Amino acid sequence: MRDAGGRSGKQASHGAKNAAANNQPLAKNRYRVKAGDTLYAIAWMYGLDFQAVARFNGIEPPYAIYADQILKLDLDNPKAGRYVVKRGDSLSMVAQNHGTTMMVLVRLNDLKKPYTIHPGQLLLLGSQPESVASGSSVAKRDPRQNNVQNSSGAVTQGLAAPERKEYSQARSTQNYNNYLTWQWPTRGRIVQGFSLSEQGNKGLDIAGTRGQAVVAAASGRVVYAGSALRGYGNLIIIKHNEDYLSAYAHNDVLRVQEQQEVKAGQRIADMGSSDSQDVRLHFEIRYRGQSINPVRFLPKR
């Protein structure tokens, strides 16, 4: 016997079970892929590095995902031996905070000198047999690290510079922004600037008129073009290289499609007010999943 869809009773029963399973609530930090989702958009939505999400879920380039696939998003789980680098971290700080040594992390993560780490980077912590001793009244030096740990547990940096300094260097175009030339995505007045606060604006909001040209801020490939991400309206995400993505939100009309290659300055959308109270462009740049201030990359005007 077949149902109205032409399936046998056994097939229909199996389909019903699958449908029921798909409607079950997911565990925390799990995401069920919906039709039209891309890995880039999901990672963007949760503020994660798409490459870290891909590695954690065993997804290889070109990062294809399918409807109803369950993605694990709990990358930052020290109890499970994983840690996502935060702004201000250095490798020695991460090691000390998780009861291990810097050189253990170097080996586990195949890091090269000078052992620079970046916000959004996924570090394996491993087991902790080589935990750093604490509470001693004698300062200890690890000759491999060139760091000094005092009786309070604070670490004086030697070999590894503080991540805040490293991150400020990332804003120069020499080390982390190679081969990218940025330009303003549209003309107009900035009505809301970038903020590092938890609920702050993660980009720039630029006022303009409906239909005004929105252009690619740098060359790259469109990895998302749609309206599925709540709060962004008609959104475009461009992948510029393995480190940098940029996003263009609240558009009226999208003029590019996913997988399309675009050049810096190419018109990609018309400014609008989708998911916004007024006409504006919300523009973001993210480095390995972390929001950074676009003004530091854009030319002065």
Side-chain angles (χ1 to χ4, degrees), residues 118 165-173 176-177 244 287 297:
H118 313 281
K165 181 178 180 181
E166 293 163 359
Y167 194 65
S168 68
Q169 292 171 348
R171 292 191 282 253
S172 75
T173 58
Y176 298 90
N177 197 18
Y244 286 94
Y287 174 74
F297 292 87

Side-chain angles (χ1 to χ4, degrees), residues 234-294:
N234 293 323
L235 171 70
I236 292 171
I237 300 176
I238 297 176
K239 177 187 177 184
H240 303 289
N241 56 31
E242 292 304 307
D243 293 325
Y244 286 94
L245 300 171
S246 63
Y248 313 75
H250 305 314
N251 300 291
D252 189 24
V253 176
L254 304 182
R255 295 183 174 270
V256 291
Q257 298 177 338
E258 288 180 12
Q259 306 307 316
Q260 181 176 337
E261 298 287 338
V262 296
K263 299 294 185 182
Q266 179 179 334
R267 187 167 186 165
I268 58 174
D270 298 350
M271 189 182 291
S273 58
S274 54
D275 262 3
S276 175
Q277 294 182 345
D278 53 19
V279 176
R280 63 174 61 195
L281 171 69
H282 176 75
F283 174 65
E284 294 187 30
I285 297 176
R286 293 194 186 180
Y287 174 74
R288 298 186 178 181
Q290 298 293 305
S291 301
I292 51 181
N293 190 349

Side-chain angles (χ1 to χ4, degrees), residues 1-299:
M1 179 177 181
R2 295 181 177 271
D3 66 358
R7 299 172 298 175
S8 67
K10 187 174 182 180
Q11 289 173 323
S13 175
H14 183 66
K17 288 180 180 179
N18 282 343
N22 289 341
N23 289 324
Q24 293 298 314
L26 292 180
K28 186 179 180 181
N29 296 318
R30 297 291 187 271
Y31 179 85
R32 178 178 287 113
V33 176
K34 300 185 290 292
D37 279 346
T38 68
L39 186 69
Y40 303 94
I42 295 168
W44 187 281
M45 182 165 50
Y46 288 93
L48 301 171
D49 176 13
F50 72 90
Q51 294 180 89
V53 175
R55 287 194 300 270
F56 188 38
N57 287 276
I59 301 172
E60 301 291 338
Y63 308 122
I65 56 177
Y66 54 88
D68 292 328
Q69 181 178 0
I70 305 299
L71 296 180
K72 298 176 290 184
L73 302 179
D74 54 336
L75 282 67
D76 193 0
N77 187 348
K79 290 183 178 179
R82 301 183 300 273
Y83 178 75
V84 176
V85 176
K86 308 297 190 300
R87 190 184 307 275
D89 282 346
S90 68
L91 192 62
S92 59
M93 291 168 57
V94 174
Q96 181 191 14
N97 291 340
H98 295 93
T100 186
T101 68
M102 195 174 85
M103 296 312 295
V104 168
L105 298 183
V106 167
R107 291 195 298 272
L108 281 173
N109 295 279
D110 194 26
L111 301 177
K112 308 301 181 185
K113 290 183 178 180
Y115 310 133
T116 303
I117 56 177
H118 313 281
Q121 182 176 352
L122 177 64
L123 292 179
L124 299 179
L125 303 175
S127 58
Q128 301 174 0
E130 302 181 53
S131 61
V132 178
S134 60
S136 172
S137 61
V138 180
K140 297 174 287 294
R141 179 183 296 272
D142 184 335
R144 299 168 299 178
Q145 298 180 40
N146 198 26
N147 289 338
V148 175
Q149 181 178 348
N150 61 28
S151 59
S152 66
V155 173
T156 302
Q157 298 293 333
L159 179 62
E163 175 61 24
R164 193 171 302 280
K165 181 178 180 181
E166 293 163 359
Y167 194 65
S168 68
Q169 292 171 348
R171 292 191 282 253
S172 75
T173 58
Q174 294 181 353
N175 296 329
Y176 298 90
N177 197 18
N178 290 338
Y179 313 117
L180 287 180
T181 300
W182 296 90
Q183 65 182 66
W184 286 85
T186 195
R187 56 181 172 81
R189 178 173 59 91
I190 296 177
V191 291
Q192 187 172 3
F194 179 83
S195 171
L196 286 174
S197 65
E198 186 174 348
Q199 300 299 323
N201 192 33
K202 302 309 178 185
L204 300 177
D205 285 32
I206 304 171
T209 58
R210 190 175 303 277
Q212 179 176 315
V214 174
V215 304
S219 298
R221 179 167 56 90
V222 177
V223 293
Y224 181 80
S227 58
L229 274 68
R230 182 177 300 177
Y232 286 92
N234 293 323
L235 171 70
I236 292 171
I237 300 176
I238 297 176
K239 177 187 177 184
H240 303 289
N241 56 31
E242 292 304 307
D243 293 325
Y244 286 94
L245 300 171
S246 63
Y248 313 75
H250 305 314
N251 300 291
D252 189 24
V253 176
L254 304 182
R255 295 183 174 270
V256 291
Q257 298 177 338
E258 288 180 12
Q259 306 307 316
Q260 181 176 337
E261 298 287 338
V262 296
K263 299 294 185 182
Q266 179 179 334
R267 187 167 186 165
I268 58 174
D270 298 350
M271 189 182 291
S273 58
S274 54
D275 262 3
S276 175
Q277 294 182 345
D278 53 19
V279 176
R280 63 174 61 195
L281 171 69
H282 176 75
F283 174 65
E284 294 187 30
I285 297 176
R286 293 194 186 180
Y287 174 74
R288 298 186 178 181
Q290 298 293 305
S291 301
I292 51 181
N293 190 349
V295 170
R296 298 187 178 277
F297 292 87
L298 299 172

